[in-house]
Structure formats: C-alpha cells, structure tokens
Amino acid sequence: MRGSVEDSRPWALVPVKRLSQAKQRLATALTPAERAELARAMLHDVLAVLSRATTLAGVLVVTPDAEAAALAQRYGAIVRDDPLEQGTNTAVRQGLEFLQEQGRPGVLVVPGDVPFLTSLEIREVVDTLHRTPLVLVPATRDGGTNLLAGTLPLSIAPAFGTGSFARHLAAARARGIAPALMHLKGLGHDVDTPADLVRPPSRAVRTCAALDRISAPRRRPAPAGACLPRSL
Ligand SMILES: Nc1nc2c(ncn2[C@@H]2O[C@H](COP(=O)(O)OP(=O)(O)OP(=O)(O)O)[C@@H](O)[C@H]2O)c(=O)[nH]1
Ligand SMILES: O=C(O)[C@H](O)COP(=O)(O)O
C-alpha cells in the first residue's frame, strides 16, 4: 500500500456500487447507459483529485464492479471487493476494517458522486482532522453527508443514506463529540437528482464532458458558469 505504516497521513475511502446500478434517482432523466457513463465519469474526477492529494497517504476503493476497480487501479488506488453489495454503509465498514487492520491512523470517506471536489478542499479537511477527531461535510442540497473524516477507529458508525448528515451529527453528539462541520462548495455538490445536473464552474472535465454528451440531444443553453473548457 502507498504510504508506509509510519505515514501519519489519512487514507481516502471511496465506496462505489456496480456502475450498472448507479444513480437510480436519475432514472427519470437518463437511460441506464447514460447513468453508468455519468457514474464512471464522476468516479474518474473524484479519483483524479484524491490520487494527486499529497495530504493523503493513499486511496482505497471498495467496489464489486470490475470496471470501477480497474479505473481505481489506474489511479494508484488499492481496491477491495464488495461481495455483499449491501449498500454504502456495509461497503464503508469493510473499508474501515481493512484500513484499521493496516494500522492506518485516519480516513476520509468520500462518495463517488462528488466530482466537483478540489484538492484544496481535501487539504482543508485533512488540516481540520489534525485538530478534531471527526469532520463532516454536508451535501449542499439534500441532507446527505458528502465527506466523513475521522481518526481510526471512527468515533461513530457510518450511517450514509437519506438524511445522513443529521444522523452523523446526532451520533457524534451522543458521544460527546463536537465534529468540525465544513460547508464546502465543491465537495458539497453531489449529483443525485436531475436538478443536480446543472454544473458549477469546475475542472471536473470528465463529468462535464459526460454531461455535455448526455444533454446534447436535450440541449438547453449551457448555464452561465458551466464547466471550464478542457484547455484550462
Ligand atoms: N461498494 C458499494 N458502494 C455502494 C453501494 N451502494 C452505494 N454505494 C456507493 O456509495 C455512495 C453513495 O451511494 P448512493 O448515493 O446511495 O448511490 P448512487 O448510485 O450514488 O445513487 P442512487 O442509486 O440514486 O441511490 C456512492 O459512491 C455509491 O457508488 C454498494 O452496495 N456497494
Ligand atoms: O449521505 C449519503 O448517504 C451519501 O453522501 C450519499 O448521499 P446521496 O444518496 O444523497 O448521494
């Protein structure tokens, strides 16, 4: 694994479901092939940022999907299978167990659908993690948790799913922990519903390209501040 045992930097943990099953809440707007393409593009952009983050010792991807696993390995991530395929929390727990067995000191749990995250935001989260045992980044719109970071073993159990931010916050407070809450523009924007398909100014080039290809037949004028051109 990247990062020696003495390496005090945390690891990123990315749970990724089978691409063919991804983004069910977009089924009213996108075909299954388009949903898989978008999920793949978003994973690319998430891994591109995490793999370059010098504040992380490594990236662990937990997935049952062979294509997602191959993509993760191209970015230098460690991959663990997810034979159970029983949702985000089971996958995250498998990843946490693995990182703890490896003696890793900390983790950033990052879903695969936050393509607008930035390396600066990751640095800010890691810096904050030096000062507090738990960091939560809420989704801007839907009450979800777009990043959960903590020293290992985690002080709370992963409770991802609808309304997860309030659950994570309550679990921390029940243990007398005041987590650091970070409202971050990039990490806060996950792509779950058709309303999320509007793009912020971003260098998530693969996600933007996928959205362009998907929206081309339905093209409305690109919203102001759409993805920056590839050349930038
Ligand atoms: N390994 C693994 N990852 C999962 C599983 N279910 C969800 N995930 C991942 O957990 C994160 C949050 O998942 P969701 O938002 O619930 O799933 P989604 O595909 O993004 O969206 P929906 O299908 O609309 O719920 C994403 O990175 C998913 O890929 C699972 O059973 N196994
Ligand atoms: O909070 C969560 O469960 C994860 O961020 C996923 O949330 P989502 O299903 O709203 O993407």
Side-chain angles (χ1 to χ4, degrees):
M1 288 177 78
R2 191 177 91 180
S4 66
V5 175
E6 300 74 41
D7 191 330
S8 63
R9 295 174 299 170
W11 276 65
L13 195 175
V14 185
V16 180
K17 73 168 34 169
R18 200 169 290 284
L19 295 177
S20 60
Q21 304 301 315
K23 311 305 337 167
Q24 297 300 316
R25 282 167 284 176
L26 289 174
T28 57
L30 305 182
T31 66
E34 288 172 333
R35 295 201 301 271
E37 177 188 1
L38 180 58
R40 187 182 307 113
M42 294 197 292
L43 180 60
H44 252 292
D45 288 329
V46 168
L47 292 173
V49 171
L50 294 178
S51 63
R52 287 197 300 262
T54 54
T55 50
L56 298 175
V59 181
L60 174 67
V61 172
V62 179
T63 185
D65 189 288
E67 185 185 357
L71 178 60
Q73 286 165 338
R74 277 169 46 197
Y75 279 102
I78 299 290
V79 176
R80 301 290 286 175
D81 188 12
D82 171 21
L84 301 175
E85 295 194 54
Q86 288 177 350
T88 308
N89 295 311
T90 303
V92 170
R93 282 195 294 270
Q94 293 176 83
L96 292 174
E97 283 164 23
F98 176 72
L99 290 174
Q100 280 175 232
E101 285 162 11
Q102 297 288 321
R104 301 303 170 181
V107 67
L108 281 64
V109 180
V110 182
D113 61 356
V114 289
F116 306 114
L117 81 169
T118 66
S119 50
L120 176 61
E121 289 178 338
I122 295 299
R123 174 177 298 279
E124 289 169 346
V125 168
V126 174
D127 289 348
T128 305
L129 193 55
H130 290 149
R131 302 191 298 273
T132 174
L134 189 66
V135 179
L136 296 174
V137 176
T140 306
R141 263 191 283 264
D142 67 3
T145 306
N146 284 7
L147 180 145
L148 185 159
T151 50
L152 287 174
L154 270 189
S155 49
I156 62 171
F160 289 98
T162 306
S164 69
F165 178 67
R167 274 197 306 281
H168 286 139
L169 201 49
R173 286 175 173 161
R175 303 197 52 148
I177 296 166
L181 308 181
M182 300 182 72
H183 298 271
L184 300 172
K185 193 171 182 184
L187 264 168
H189 182 159
D190 56 346
V191 181
D192 280 323
T193 66
D196 297 327
L197 294 176
V198 176
R199 321 189 284 281
S202 159
R203 284 179 170 71
V205 287
R206 286 185 173 80
T207 300
C208 292
L211 288 171
D212 285 348
R213 281 193 297 276
I214 287 166
S215 63
R218 312 165 177 84
R219 169 114 30 227
R220 298 186 300 281
C227 286
L228 302 175
R230 281 182 183 283
S231 55
L232 293 183

Short mmCIF file of all heavy atoms in Angstrom, two decimals, residues 191-232:
data_model
loop_
_atom_site.label_atom_id
_atom_site.label_comp_id
_atom_site.label_asym_id
_atom_site.label_seq_id
_atom_site.Cartn_x
_atom_site.Cartn_y
_atom_site.Cartn_z
N VAL A 191 -24.17 14.68 -7.18
CA VAL A 191 -25.05 14.58 -8.35
C VAL A 191 -25.98 13.40 -8.11
O VAL A 191 -25.60 12.25 -8.30
CB VAL A 191 -24.23 14.40 -9.64
CG1 VAL A 191 -25.15 14.32 -10.85
CG2 VAL A 191 -23.23 15.54 -9.80
N ASP A 192 -27.17 13.71 -7.66
CA ASP A 192 -28.13 12.66 -7.30
C ASP A 192 -29.42 12.70 -8.09
O ASP A 192 -29.99 11.68 -8.42
CB ASP A 192 -28.52 12.80 -5.81
CG ASP A 192 -27.46 12.22 -4.92
OD1 ASP A 192 -26.87 11.19 -5.28
OD2 ASP A 192 -27.20 12.81 -3.87
N THR A 193 -29.91 13.91 -8.30
CA THR A 193 -31.22 14.05 -8.95
C THR A 193 -31.07 14.93 -10.19
O THR A 193 -30.05 15.61 -10.36
CB THR A 193 -32.20 14.77 -7.98
OG1 THR A 193 -31.72 16.12 -7.77
CG2 THR A 193 -32.28 14.04 -6.63
N PRO A 194 -32.08 14.91 -11.05
CA PRO A 194 -31.98 15.73 -12.26
C PRO A 194 -31.64 17.19 -11.97
O PRO A 194 -30.90 17.83 -12.73
CB PRO A 194 -33.36 15.58 -12.89
CG PRO A 194 -33.80 14.20 -12.46
CD PRO A 194 -33.27 14.04 -11.07
N ALA A 195 -32.08 17.70 -10.83
CA ALA A 195 -31.77 19.11 -10.50
C ALA A 195 -30.27 19.33 -10.29
O ALA A 195 -29.76 20.44 -10.44
CB ALA A 195 -32.53 19.53 -9.24
N ASP A 196 -29.55 18.23 -9.96
CA ASP A 196 -28.11 18.35 -9.71
C ASP A 196 -27.30 18.37 -11.00
O ASP A 196 -26.07 18.53 -10.97
CB ASP A 196 -27.61 17.16 -8.86
CG ASP A 196 -28.24 17.13 -7.48
OD1 ASP A 196 -28.52 18.21 -6.94
OD2 ASP A 196 -28.49 16.02 -6.98
N LEU A 197 -27.97 18.20 -12.15
CA LEU A 197 -27.20 18.07 -13.40
C LEU A 197 -26.73 19.42 -13.92
O LEU A 197 -26.12 19.51 -14.98
CB LEU A 197 -28.05 17.33 -14.45
CG LEU A 197 -28.35 15.86 -14.10
CD1 LEU A 197 -29.26 15.24 -15.14
CD2 LEU A 197 -27.06 15.06 -13.98
N VAL A 198 -27.06 20.51 -13.23
CA VAL A 198 -26.54 21.82 -13.61
C VAL A 198 -25.13 21.91 -13.03
O VAL A 198 -24.90 21.56 -11.87
CB VAL A 198 -27.42 22.94 -13.01
CG1 VAL A 198 -26.81 24.31 -13.32
CG2 VAL A 198 -28.83 22.84 -13.58
N ARG A 199 -24.16 22.40 -13.84
CA ARG A 199 -22.77 22.26 -13.42
C ARG A 199 -22.21 23.57 -12.89
O ARG A 199 -22.41 24.61 -13.49
CB ARG A 199 -21.91 21.82 -14.60
CG ARG A 199 -22.57 20.81 -15.48
CD ARG A 199 -21.63 20.24 -16.48
NE ARG A 199 -21.32 21.12 -17.58
CZ ARG A 199 -22.11 21.32 -18.62
NH1 ARG A 199 -23.28 20.75 -18.66
NH2 ARG A 199 -21.75 22.12 -19.59
N PRO A 200 -21.47 23.56 -11.80
CA PRO A 200 -20.77 24.76 -11.34
C PRO A 200 -19.52 24.96 -12.20
O PRO A 200 -19.11 24.04 -12.91
CB PRO A 200 -20.39 24.40 -9.90
CG PRO A 200 -20.20 22.92 -9.95
CD PRO A 200 -21.18 22.40 -10.97
N PRO A 201 -18.89 26.13 -12.13
CA PRO A 201 -17.59 26.27 -12.78
C PRO A 201 -16.66 25.22 -12.16
O PRO A 201 -16.58 25.08 -10.95
CB PRO A 201 -17.14 27.68 -12.37
CG PRO A 201 -18.38 28.38 -11.99
CD PRO A 201 -19.32 27.33 -11.44
N SER A 202 -16.04 24.41 -13.02
CA SER A 202 -15.33 23.28 -12.45
C SER A 202 -14.30 22.75 -13.42
O SER A 202 -14.43 22.92 -14.63
CB SER A 202 -16.32 22.15 -12.15
OG SER A 202 -15.64 20.91 -12.05
N ARG A 203 -13.30 22.09 -12.87
CA ARG A 203 -12.32 21.40 -13.71
C ARG A 203 -12.59 19.90 -13.70
O ARG A 203 -11.71 19.09 -13.99
CB ARG A 203 -10.90 21.72 -13.22
CG ARG A 203 -10.48 23.12 -13.64
CD ARG A 203 -9.10 23.52 -13.18
NE ARG A 203 -8.67 24.75 -13.81
CZ ARG A 203 -9.18 25.95 -13.54
NH1 ARG A 203 -10.15 26.04 -12.65
NH2 ARG A 203 -8.76 27.05 -14.16
N ALA A 204 -13.83 19.52 -13.35
CA ALA A 204 -14.19 18.08 -13.41
C ALA A 204 -14.45 17.74 -14.86
O ALA A 204 -15.61 17.56 -15.30
CB ALA A 204 -15.44 17.85 -12.55
N VAL A 205 -13.37 17.65 -15.62
CA VAL A 205 -13.51 17.61 -17.08
C VAL A 205 -14.30 16.41 -17.56
O VAL A 205 -15.10 16.51 -18.50
CB VAL A 205 -12.12 17.64 -17.76
CG1 VAL A 205 -11.51 19.02 -17.63
CG2 VAL A 205 -11.21 16.58 -17.20
N ARG A 206 -14.12 15.27 -16.95
CA ARG A 206 -14.82 14.09 -17.46
C ARG A 206 -16.31 14.15 -17.13
O ARG A 206 -17.16 13.77 -17.93
CB ARG A 206 -14.19 12.82 -16.90
CG ARG A 206 -12.85 12.50 -17.55
CD ARG A 206 -12.30 11.19 -17.06
NE ARG A 206 -11.12 10.77 -17.78
CZ ARG A 206 -9.90 11.24 -17.54
NH1 ARG A 206 -9.76 12.13 -16.58
NH2 ARG A 206 -8.86 10.81 -18.21
N THR A 207 -16.63 14.67 -15.96
CA THR A 207 -18.05 14.80 -15.61
C THR A 207 -18.73 15.80 -16.55
O THR A 207 -19.82 15.54 -17.06
CB THR A 207 -18.20 15.26 -14.15
OG1 THR A 207 -17.58 14.29 -13.30
CG2 THR A 207 -19.65 15.44 -13.76
N CYS A 208 -18.05 16.90 -16.82
CA CYS A 208 -18.63 17.91 -17.72
C CYS A 208 -18.80 17.34 -19.12
O CYS A 208 -19.83 17.53 -19.76
CB CYS A 208 -17.73 19.14 -17.76
SG CYS A 208 -17.73 20.02 -16.20
N ALA A 209 -17.79 16.60 -19.58
CA ALA A 209 -17.88 16.01 -20.93
C ALA A 209 -19.04 15.02 -20.98
O ALA A 209 -19.82 15.00 -21.94
CB ALA A 209 -16.56 15.32 -21.27
N ALA A 210 -19.19 14.23 -19.93
CA ALA A 210 -20.29 13.25 -19.90
C ALA A 210 -21.62 13.98 -19.90
O ALA A 210 -22.55 13.62 -20.63
CB ALA A 210 -20.17 12.36 -18.66
N LEU A 211 -21.73 15.04 -19.10
CA LEU A 211 -22.98 15.80 -19.05
C LEU A 211 -23.26 16.45 -20.41
O LEU A 211 -24.40 16.48 -20.87
CB LEU A 211 -22.91 16.86 -17.95
CG LEU A 211 -22.97 16.33 -16.52
CD1 LEU A 211 -22.66 17.43 -15.51
CD2 LEU A 211 -24.33 15.71 -16.23
N ASP A 212 -22.19 16.92 -21.07
CA ASP A 212 -22.39 17.51 -22.40
C ASP A 212 -22.91 16.45 -23.37
O ASP A 212 -23.85 16.70 -24.12
CB ASP A 212 -21.06 18.06 -22.93
CG ASP A 212 -20.68 19.36 -22.23
OD1 ASP A 212 -21.56 19.91 -21.54
OD2 ASP A 212 -19.53 19.81 -22.36
N ARG A 213 -22.31 15.25 -23.31
CA ARG A 213 -22.76 14.21 -24.26
C ARG A 213 -24.19 13.81 -23.95
O ARG A 213 -25.03 13.64 -24.83
CB ARG A 213 -21.85 12.98 -24.14
CG ARG A 213 -20.53 13.09 -24.87
CD ARG A 213 -19.83 11.74 -24.97
NE ARG A 213 -19.51 11.20 -23.64
CZ ARG A 213 -18.41 11.52 -22.94
NH1 ARG A 213 -17.57 12.42 -23.45
NH2 ARG A 213 -18.16 11.00 -21.75
N ILE A 214 -24.48 13.70 -22.65
CA ILE A 214 -25.83 13.26 -22.25
C ILE A 214 -26.86 14.32 -22.60
O ILE A 214 -27.95 14.03 -23.10
CB ILE A 214 -25.84 12.95 -20.74
CG1 ILE A 214 -25.09 11.65 -20.44
CG2 ILE A 214 -27.27 12.88 -20.21
CD1 ILE A 214 -24.77 11.46 -18.97
N SER A 215 -26.50 15.58 -22.36
CA SER A 215 -27.52 16.63 -22.52
C SER A 215 -27.62 17.11 -23.96
O SER A 215 -28.56 17.79 -24.33
CB SER A 215 -27.18 17.83 -21.62
OG SER A 215 -25.94 18.39 -22.03
N ALA A 216 -26.65 16.71 -24.81
CA ALA A 216 -26.64 17.24 -26.19
C ALA A 216 -28.01 17.08 -26.86
O ALA A 216 -28.58 18.04 -27.37
CB ALA A 216 -25.54 16.56 -26.99
N PRO A 217 -28.61 15.85 -26.84
CA PRO A 217 -29.91 15.70 -27.54
C PRO A 217 -31.00 16.57 -26.91
O PRO A 217 -31.98 16.93 -27.52
CB PRO A 217 -30.24 14.21 -27.34
CG PRO A 217 -28.98 13.55 -26.93
CD PRO A 217 -28.17 14.59 -26.23
N ARG A 218 -30.78 16.89 -25.62
CA ARG A 218 -31.83 17.64 -24.91
C ARG A 218 -31.36 19.08 -24.72
O ARG A 218 -31.88 19.80 -23.91
CB ARG A 218 -32.06 17.03 -23.52
CG ARG A 218 -32.23 15.51 -23.48
CD ARG A 218 -32.08 15.05 -22.05
NE ARG A 218 -32.29 13.61 -21.87
CZ ARG A 218 -31.34 12.70 -22.06
NH1 ARG A 218 -30.14 13.08 -22.47
NH2 ARG A 218 -31.59 11.42 -21.86
N ARG A 219 -30.32 19.44 -25.48
CA ARG A 219 -29.56 20.64 -25.12
C ARG A 219 -30.44 21.84 -24.82
O ARG A 219 -31.29 22.22 -25.61
CB ARG A 219 -28.57 21.01 -26.23
CG ARG A 219 -27.97 22.37 -26.03
CD ARG A 219 -26.51 22.46 -25.76
NE ARG A 219 -25.66 21.47 -26.32
CZ ARG A 219 -24.70 20.85 -25.59
NH1 ARG A 219 -24.60 21.10 -24.32
NH2 ARG A 219 -23.90 19.99 -26.14
N ARG A 220 -30.25 22.38 -23.65
CA ARG A 220 -30.68 23.75 -23.35
C ARG A 220 -29.38 24.55 -23.35
O ARG A 220 -28.31 23.99 -23.22
CB ARG A 220 -31.33 23.81 -21.97
CG ARG A 220 -32.57 22.96 -21.83
CD ARG A 220 -33.21 23.20 -20.47
NE ARG A 220 -32.28 22.84 -19.40
CZ ARG A 220 -32.04 21.59 -19.01
NH1 ARG A 220 -32.64 20.59 -19.61
NH2 ARG A 220 -31.20 21.33 -18.04
N PRO A 221 -29.45 25.87 -23.48
CA PRO A 221 -28.19 26.64 -23.40
C PRO A 221 -27.46 26.28 -22.10
O PRO A 221 -28.10 26.21 -21.04
CB PRO A 221 -28.66 28.10 -23.39
CG PRO A 221 -30.05 28.07 -23.96
CD PRO A 221 -30.64 26.72 -23.60
N ALA A 222 -26.19 26.05 -22.21
CA ALA A 222 -25.40 25.71 -21.00
C ALA A 222 -25.56 26.86 -19.99
O ALA A 222 -25.50 28.03 -20.37
CB ALA A 222 -23.93 25.56 -21.37
N PRO A 223 -25.80 26.53 -18.75
CA PRO A 223 -25.96 27.60 -17.74
C PRO A 223 -24.67 28.40 -17.62
O PRO A 223 -23.58 27.90 -17.83
CB PRO A 223 -26.24 26.83 -16.45
CG PRO A 223 -25.77 25.43 -16.69
CD PRO A 223 -25.85 25.20 -18.15
N ALA A 224 -24.87 29.66 -17.27
CA ALA A 224 -23.68 30.51 -17.08
C ALA A 224 -22.77 29.84 -16.07
O ALA A 224 -23.24 29.23 -15.11
CB ALA A 224 -24.14 31.87 -16.54
N GLY A 225 -21.47 29.91 -16.31
CA GLY A 225 -20.55 29.30 -15.34
C GLY A 225 -20.45 27.80 -15.53
O GLY A 225 -20.07 27.08 -14.63
N ALA A 226 -20.80 27.34 -16.72
CA ALA A 226 -20.70 25.90 -16.96
C ALA A 226 -19.24 25.48 -16.88
O ALA A 226 -18.35 26.29 -16.67
CB ALA A 226 -21.28 25.57 -18.33
N CYS A 227 -19.02 24.19 -17.03
CA CYS A 227 -17.66 23.65 -16.89
C CYS A 227 -16.68 24.44 -17.73
O CYS A 227 -16.99 24.88 -18.83
CB CYS A 227 -17.65 22.21 -17.36
SG CYS A 227 -18.43 21.16 -16.17
N LEU A 228 -15.50 24.61 -17.17
CA LEU A 228 -14.44 25.34 -17.89
C LEU A 228 -14.00 24.51 -19.09
O LEU A 228 -14.07 23.27 -19.04
CB LEU A 228 -13.26 25.57 -16.93
CG LEU A 228 -13.66 26.36 -15.66
CD1 LEU A 228 -12.47 26.44 -14.71
CD2 LEU A 228 -14.12 27.74 -16.05
N PRO A 229 -13.57 25.17 -20.16
CA PRO A 229 -13.16 24.39 -21.33
C PRO A 229 -11.97 23.49 -20.99
O PRO A 229 -11.22 23.76 -20.05
CB PRO A 229 -12.75 25.47 -22.35
CG PRO A 229 -12.66 26.75 -21.61
CD PRO A 229 -13.48 26.61 -20.36
N ARG A 230 -11.85 22.43 -21.76
CA ARG A 230 -10.79 21.45 -21.50
C ARG A 230 -9.42 22.12 -21.40
O ARG A 230 -8.58 21.74 -20.63
CB ARG A 230 -10.74 20.44 -22.65
CG ARG A 230 -11.79 19.37 -22.60
CD ARG A 230 -11.59 18.41 -23.77
NE ARG A 230 -12.64 17.40 -23.81
CZ ARG A 230 -12.67 16.35 -23.00
NH1 ARG A 230 -11.75 16.22 -22.09
NH2 ARG A 230 -13.63 15.48 -23.08
N SER A 231 -9.25 23.16 -22.22
CA SER A 231 -7.87 23.69 -22.36
C SER A 231 -7.38 24.27 -21.02
O SER A 231 -6.23 24.38 -20.75
CB SER A 231 -7.87 24.82 -23.41
OG SER A 231 -8.85 25.79 -23.03
N LEU A 232 -8.32 24.63 -20.15
CA LEU A 232 -7.87 25.27 -18.89
C LEU A 232 -7.49 24.21 -17.85
O LEU A 232 -8.04 23.12 -17.89
CB LEU A 232 -9.02 26.14 -18.35
CG LEU A 232 -9.36 27.37 -19.21
CD1 LEU A 232 -10.45 28.18 -18.54
CD2 LEU A 232 -8.12 28.23 -19.35
#
